[in-house]
Amino acid sequence: MKKLYGVGTGPGNPDLLTLRSVNIIREVDIIFTPNNKGKNMALDTAREFIQDKEVVYLDFPMGEVVKKDYEKAAKIILDRIPEAGKGAFLTIGDPMIYSTFIYLMEELEDQEIHIEISPGIPSFLAGAGEAKVALTTKGDSFILCDEFQEDLLDYGDSLAILKTLRNKEELINTLEENKYDYDYLKKISLEDQRILKNKEEILRDKNYMSLILARKEGKK
Amino acid sequence: MKKLYGVGTGPGNPDLLTLRSVNIIREVDIIFTPNNKGKNMALDTAREFIQDKEVVYLDFPMGEVVKKDYEKAAKIILDRIPEAGKGAFLTIGDPMIYSTFIYLMEELEDQEIHIEISPGIPSFLAGAGEAKVALTTKGDSFILCDEFQEDLLDYGDSLAILKTLRNKEELINTLEENKYDYDYLKKISLEDQRILKNKEEILRDKNYMSLILARKEGKK
């Protein structure tokens, strides 16, 4: 049977790939990745292990992606993996966290293909290590979200908040009012990584590859 | 200056180490790890890369660990790393998630030592991949906790709940009443990994290396 691996390439530095992911990328017949206009970070991260292997770019529309788009991409994957061969779909971070792979997997689950997942280091986790901020200690809860709402602060001793561009000022004010410390992280693990703590600097930044780690003041 | 790496060894399978962690383990002068009575999973995971390097076991009391215990361990680390040398503290999962390393780091932050963190794949993340269950999709929130309370279900579209032994039956009943699907995962990534979905089987299991992944019914 054909086999597809969902491979998480981590936050962007090649040395944050797991040994398993490297082995998979080396051994598969064909590589799939979403067709990002411009830079393709998953592909860049894995480049040295892909070498001259065939890469198929899967198109997803900008803005809302619907079931039909995933069906189409799933069909391409199924068609392009050779008989009894193997393919890898590369995705930044981890395939089970805010990833296109979750939907592709759903489209493929009743097909004649075996699916396996090779986890990757999510950016918020690498970011916590770089900022030396604990995500969770005994008895704590940690919340990961891409749409912040103030109520989450009732339950999260710490939070990783993705997609902060939309309402960054309001978000930071809410964190301050509720006595949370915060770090703004961008391009984690890459050469031009930045960790910002100054509110004005954070508000000026417009990078979409950014996230905020927040933790209740006084917590370890 | 001396240098200490906090290295996350992941859930237990050596091939889930990152390239960075492998390089660090190979290059340091000395390895530190908590002295677990019996099996030491962090050490077992990294064994083939440690080879005959010196390993120092740090004692932490069973039950409550207090500041004095961390101070003592931090002093041993500082003393045992050679001048201008490097050490690695190995911890299962990731150093920033429910780890002893968080407290050691605090004790060492004003000392003459440079600290760096090499992230690891947390067990809940590897487990989501093995169970093929999404942790988060667009607009969702994910909660990680080691002390479950029903209120968390108001905010978590999915949850990873560690330390389920204490009140497993009550926990599962609460998940069912609130219409959450759940998987019980144990020894993730190891040869004897199990993923249980049957309530009776889950209740019979007493493994402490287990966790529950829960996700709102009907969610992708």
Side-chain angles (χ1 to χ4, degrees):
Chain A
M1 207 191 314
K2 297 184 182 190
K3 191 164 187 175
L4 176 69
Y5 294 95
V7 173
T9 62
N13 193 313
D15 78 354
L16 290 177
L17 280 162
T18 65
L19 299 178
R20 182 178 297 179
S21 292
V22 169
N23 291 338
I24 289 169
I25 293 165
R26 283 193 170 132
E27 111 189 3
V28 293
D29 304 294
I30 186 166
I31 301 284
F32 301 95
T33 187
N35 190 9
N36 304 338
K37 320 302 168 211
K39 253 179 106 61
N40 188 311
M41 200 190 285
L43 209 59
D44 288 346
T45 307
R47 187 79 64 181
E48 62 188 285
F49 310 109
I50 297 174
Q51 299 203 337
D52 57 356
K53 214 159 270 194
E54 184 179 16
V55 177
V56 175
Y57 297 86
L58 301 169
D59 282 313
F60 296 99
M62 296 295 280
E64 213 197 346
V65 185
V66 297
K67 187 171 163 65
K68 209 172 173 152
D69 303 310
Y70 295 116
E71 282 172 3
K72 205 174 132 193
K75 191 174 178 320
I76 294 171
I77 290 173
L78 205 56
D79 287 347
R80 296 297 299 272
I81 297 177
E83 265 331 300
K86 293 170 180 171
F89 179 89
L90 305 186
T91 180
I92 53 167
D94 179 86
M96 294 293 99
I97 294 181
Y98 299 120
S99 162
T100 303
F101 190 76
I102 295 165
Y103 302 96
L104 287 176
M105 186 172 75
E106 205 206 0
E107 293 305 325
L108 288 167
E109 70 184 355
D110 298 325
Q111 307 284 336
E112 281 295 298
I113 189 165
H114 181 74
I115 292 181
E116 241 178 71
I117 289 155
S118 183
I121 302 286
S123 58
F124 69 84
L125 188 60
E130 291 292 327
K132 299 195 184 103
V133 174
L135 281 186
T136 35
T137 52
K138 202 169 144 51
D140 277 5
S141 297
F142 161 72
I143 298 181
L144 169 66
C145 64
D146 67 345
E147 285 179 12
F148 176 74
Q149 42 169 319
E150 188 165 353
D151 292 351
L152 294 175
L153 299 180
D154 295 345
Y155 296 102
D157 301 291
S158 49
L159 295 95
I161 305 153
L162 313 187
K163 298 196 197 145
T164 61
L165 279 189
R166 230 172 337 189
N167 53 358
K168 203 164 25 169
E169 183 156 15
E170 192 192 328
L171 165 58
I172 290 180
N173 288 338
T174 306
L175 291 175
E176 289 186 344
E177 282 156 21
N178 287 277
K179 300 197 179 307
Y180 277 69
D181 294 322
Y182 54 86
D183 289 280
Y184 177 86
L185 315 176
K186 66 172 183 168
K187 298 187 174 179
I188 278 302
S189 87
L190 299 175
E191 251 178 63
D192 47 354
Q193 161 182 311
R194 292 291 305 280
I195 299 176
L196 305 179
K197 292 173 185 286
N198 177 285
K199 186 174 172 177
E200 303 312 314
E201 270 191 279
I202 295 173
L203 292 180
R204 272 200 303 275
D205 192 79
K206 302 282 178 240
N207 197 286
Y208 82 104
M209 293 290 294
S210 60
L211 64 100
I212 285 178
L213 288 182
R215 187 148 171 85
K216 257 187 199 155
E217 282 179 20
K219 283 263 173 192
K220 280 277 175 309
Chain B
M1 209 189 320
K2 297 183 181 190
K3 191 164 187 175
L4 175 70
Y5 294 95
V7 173
T9 62
N13 193 313
D15 78 354
L16 289 177
L17 279 162
T18 64
L19 300 178
R20 181 178 298 179
S21 292
V22 169
N23 291 338
I24 289 169
I25 294 165
R26 283 192 169 132
E27 109 188 5
V28 293
D29 303 293
I30 186 165
I31 301 285
F32 301 95
T33 187
N35 190 10
N36 303 338
K37 319 303 169 208
K39 253 180 107 61
N40 188 311
M41 199 191 284
L43 209 59
D44 287 347
T45 307
R47 186 79 65 183
E48 62 189 286
F49 309 109
I50 296 175
Q51 300 204 334
D52 57 358
K53 214 160 271 195
E54 184 180 15
V55 177
V56 175
Y57 296 86
L58 300 169
D59 283 312
F60 295 100
M62 296 294 279
E64 213 197 345
V65 184
V66 296
K67 187 170 163 65
K68 211 176 170 145
D69 303 310
Y70 295 116
E71 281 172 4
K72 205 174 132 190
K75 191 175 179 321
I76 293 171
I77 290 173
L78 205 56
D79 287 348
R80 296 296 299 272
I81 297 178
E83 266 329 302
K86 294 171 180 172
F89 179 90
L90 305 186
T91 180
I92 53 167
D94 179 85
M96 293 295 98
I97 293 181
Y98 298 120
S99 161
T100 303
F101 189 76
I102 295 165
Y103 302 96
L104 286 177
M105 187 172 73
E106 206 205 359
E107 294 304 326
L108 288 166
E109 69 183 355
D110 297 326
Q111 307 284 336
E112 281 294 298
I113 189 165
H114 181 74
I115 292 181
E116 241 178 71
I117 289 155
S118 183
I121 302 286
S123 57
F124 70 84
L125 189 61
E130 291 293 327
K132 297 191 185 109
V133 174
L135 282 187
T136 35
T137 51
K138 203 170 142 52
D140 277 6
S141 297
F142 161 72
I143 297 182
L144 169 66
C145 64
D146 67 345
E147 284 179 13
F148 176 74
Q149 43 169 320
E150 188 165 354
D151 292 350
L152 294 176
L153 299 180
D154 294 343
Y155 297 101
D157 302 290
S158 47
L159 295 93
I161 306 153
L162 314 187
K163 298 200 196 139
T164 62
L165 279 189
R166 230 171 338 189
N167 52 359
K168 203 164 26 173
E169 183 156 14
E170 192 192 329
L171 165 59
I172 289 180
N173 288 338
T174 306
L175 292 174
E176 289 185 345
E177 283 157 20
N178 288 279
K179 300 197 179 308
Y180 276 69
D181 294 323
Y182 55 86
D183 289 278
Y184 177 86
L185 316 177
K186 66 172 183 169
K187 298 187 175 179
I188 278 301
S189 86
L190 299 174
E191 251 178 64
D192 47 354
Q193 162 182 311
R194 291 290 306 279
I195 298 176
L196 305 180
K197 292 172 184 288
N198 176 282
K199 185 173 173 176
E200 304 312 315
E201 269 191 280
I202 295 173
L203 292 180
R204 273 200 302 276
D205 192 79
K206 303 280 179 242
N207 195 286
Y208 83 103
M209 293 290 295
S210 60
L211 65 100
I212 285 178
L213 288 183
R215 187 149 171 84
K216 255 185 201 159
E217 280 179 21
K219 282 263 171 192
K220 281 280 174 308

